[in-house]
């Protein structure tokens, strides 16, 4: 007699539903923006009815926050070394059949949707608090990098350095989205290194580190690897 697999638990089924909705929503928000994304289309793309969104999330805002959380889980799963030279890193792994340009477009699209959501959240007390929690998590992730690579002689606290690195990394993306070509990946990495260890930065120049300054290259590659299948919890 063939042994049948145990039936999936209600908790696991709900987790899988949430993951599928988050995955579909990430693509929708990146393509259509926060305001333009349609919950019914997102649910259909994930294989569910619109009611599945409302039974798992607090509407569109709740779903967007869940996508933000999933993205941060991937991007900041570990610290990264901003002093790694580009030519010493393994070649980027592009997700599935996506090209580098498509990955960059997906990241840029979601960044634009995030700017839309920030404007909405700033005018809503409950959402503002939710957004502030994500910003706290974001700065803590950069502080972890600062804690690991900060020069011991630096009089600036590790928390302040983390905030400065966050402002540089996130701000470079905003410049790019606004149409400025003033920053590229090389300049972003140079700036982060000078913040963390000015003396050591001179020995780690990346002349070949071109490309969009949408996060450090290590973070970009983590995000790229998450774009073809739902995150597994």
């Amino acid at each position: 007699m063939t042994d049948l697999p145990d039936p999936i638990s209600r908790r696991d089924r709900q987790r899988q539903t949430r993951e599928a909705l988050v995955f579909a929503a990430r693509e929708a928000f990146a393509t259509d923006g926060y305001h333009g994304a349609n919950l019914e289309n997102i649910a259909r793309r994930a294989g569910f009815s619109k009611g599945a969104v409302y039974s798992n999330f607090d509407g569109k805002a709740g779903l967007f926050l869940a996508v933000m959380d999933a993205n941060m889980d991937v991007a900041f799963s570990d610290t990264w070394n901003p002093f790694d030279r580009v030519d010493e890193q393994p070649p980027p792994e592009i997700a599935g059949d996506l090209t580098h340009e498509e990955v960059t477009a997906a990241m840029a699209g979601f960044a634009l949707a995030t700017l839309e959501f920030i404007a909405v959240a700033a005018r809503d007390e409950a959402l503002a608090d939710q957004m502030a929690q994500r910003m706290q998590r974001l700065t803590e992730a950069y502080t972890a990098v600062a804690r690991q690579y900060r020069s011991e002689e630096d009089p600036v606290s590790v928390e302040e350095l983390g905030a400065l690195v966050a402002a540089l990394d996130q701000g470079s993306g905003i410049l790019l989205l606004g149409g400025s070509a003033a920053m590229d990946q090389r300049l972003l990495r140079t700036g982060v290194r000078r913040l963390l260890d000015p003396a050591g930065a001179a020995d780690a120049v990346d002349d070949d580190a071109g490309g969009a300054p949408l996060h450090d290259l290590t973070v970009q590659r983590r995000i790229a690897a998450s774009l073809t299948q739902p995150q597994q919890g």
Side-chain angles (χ1 to χ4, degrees), residues 20 36 39 41 58 71 84 89 103 105 113 118 142 146-147 152 163 166 173:
L39 292 184
N41 291 340
D58 185 15
N71 286 349
D84 277 345
Q89 294 189 34
V103 170
I118 288 173
Y142 288 105
R147 182 175 292 108
E152 294 182 359

Side-chain angles (χ1 to χ4, degrees), residues 56-74:
N56 284 276
F57 305 98
D58 185 15
K60 182 187 284 191
L63 180 55
F64 190 86
L65 288 169
V67 177
M68 287 190 67
D69 289 338
N71 286 349
M72 285 194 282
D73 286 344
V74 170

Side-chain angles (χ1 to χ4, degrees), residues 4 15 162 179 187 213:
L4 297 177
R15 174 181 58 80
L187 187 55

Side-chain angles (χ1 to χ4, degrees), residues 18-26 57 62-77 110 134 137 222-223 226-227 229-232:
R18 287 177 61 89
E19 288 174 353
L21 289 168
V22 165
F23 181 73
R26 178 195 286 123
F57 305 98
L63 180 55
F64 190 86
L65 288 169
V67 177
M68 287 190 67
D69 289 338
N71 286 349
M72 285 194 282
D73 286 344
V74 170
F76 303 119
S77 57
F110 192 78
R134 272 70 181 181
R137 181 184 177 188
R222 291 174 183 172
I223 294 173
S226 73
L227 294 179
Q229 58 184 357
Q231 180 183 350
Q232 297 300 310

Side-chain angles (χ1 to χ4, degrees), residues 89-113:
Q89 294 189 34
E93 296 180 3
I94 301 303
D97 296 327
L98 296 179
T99 65
H100 179 75
E101 289 73 21
E102 288 171 329
V103 170
T104 300
M107 288 191 293
F110 192 78
L112 286 169

Side-chain angles (χ1 to χ4, degrees), residues 7-222:
I8 186 170
S9 69
R10 185 173 182 275
R11 177 178 297 180
D12 286 342
R13 186 181 296 109
Q14 183 179 36
R15 174 181 58 80
Q16 292 177 358
T17 299
R18 287 177 61 89
E19 288 174 353
L21 289 168
V22 165
F23 181 73
R26 178 195 286 123
E27 181 180 355
F29 287 131
T31 302
D32 303 323
Y34 176 70
H35 292 294
N38 181 280
L39 292 184
E40 186 172 352
N41 291 340
I42 290 172
R44 186 182 303 116
R45 185 177 303 176
F48 303 101
S49 67
K50 185 177 179 180
V53 175
Y54 288 101
S55 64
N56 284 276
F57 305 98
D58 185 15
K60 182 187 284 191
L63 180 55
F64 190 86
L65 288 169
V67 177
M68 287 190 67
D69 289 338
N71 286 349
M72 285 194 282
D73 286 344
V74 170
F76 303 119
S77 57
D78 195 4
T79 58
W80 67 94
N81 186 351
F83 290 90
D84 277 345
R85 290 179 58 90
V86 171
D87 55 10
E88 295 175 352
Q89 294 189 34
E93 296 180 3
I94 301 303
D97 296 327
L98 296 179
T99 65
H100 179 75
E101 289 73 21
E102 288 171 329
V103 170
T104 300
M107 288 191 293
F110 192 78
L112 286 169
T114 301
L115 292 178
E116 290 182 65
F117 184 78
I118 288 173
V120 171
R123 295 177 173 86
D124 183 301
E125 185 175 348
L127 286 181
D129 180 65
Q130 292 289 316
M131 195 67 200
Q133 292 178 33
R134 272 70 181 181
M135 292 299 98
Q136 178 64 29
R137 181 184 177 188
L138 190 73
T139 55
E140 287 174 353
Y142 288 105
T143 298
V145 176
R147 182 175 292 108
Q148 188 166 353
Y149 297 103
R150 165 179 173 266
S151 170
E152 294 182 359
E153 292 78 27
D154 199 322
V156 180
S157 74
V158 66
E159 291 79 12
E160 291 172 329
L161 270 179
L164 288 171
V165 173
L168 177 58
D169 190 44
Q170 297 292 318
S172 65
I174 292 176
L175 284 177
L176 175 70
L177 297 173
S180 172
M183 292 283 289
D184 61 6
Q185 186 65 217
R186 179 196 62 80
L187 187 55
L188 171 60
R189 291 171 66 84
T190 298
V192 170
R193 288 163 175 167
R194 289 195 177 187
L195 281 172
L196 297 178
D197 186 0
D203 298 324
V205 177
D206 284 314
D207 293 329
D208 298 328
L214 289 165
H215 309 300
D216 182 86
L217 282 174
T218 301
V219 174
Q220 286 192 21
R221 292 168 184 178
R222 291 174 183 172

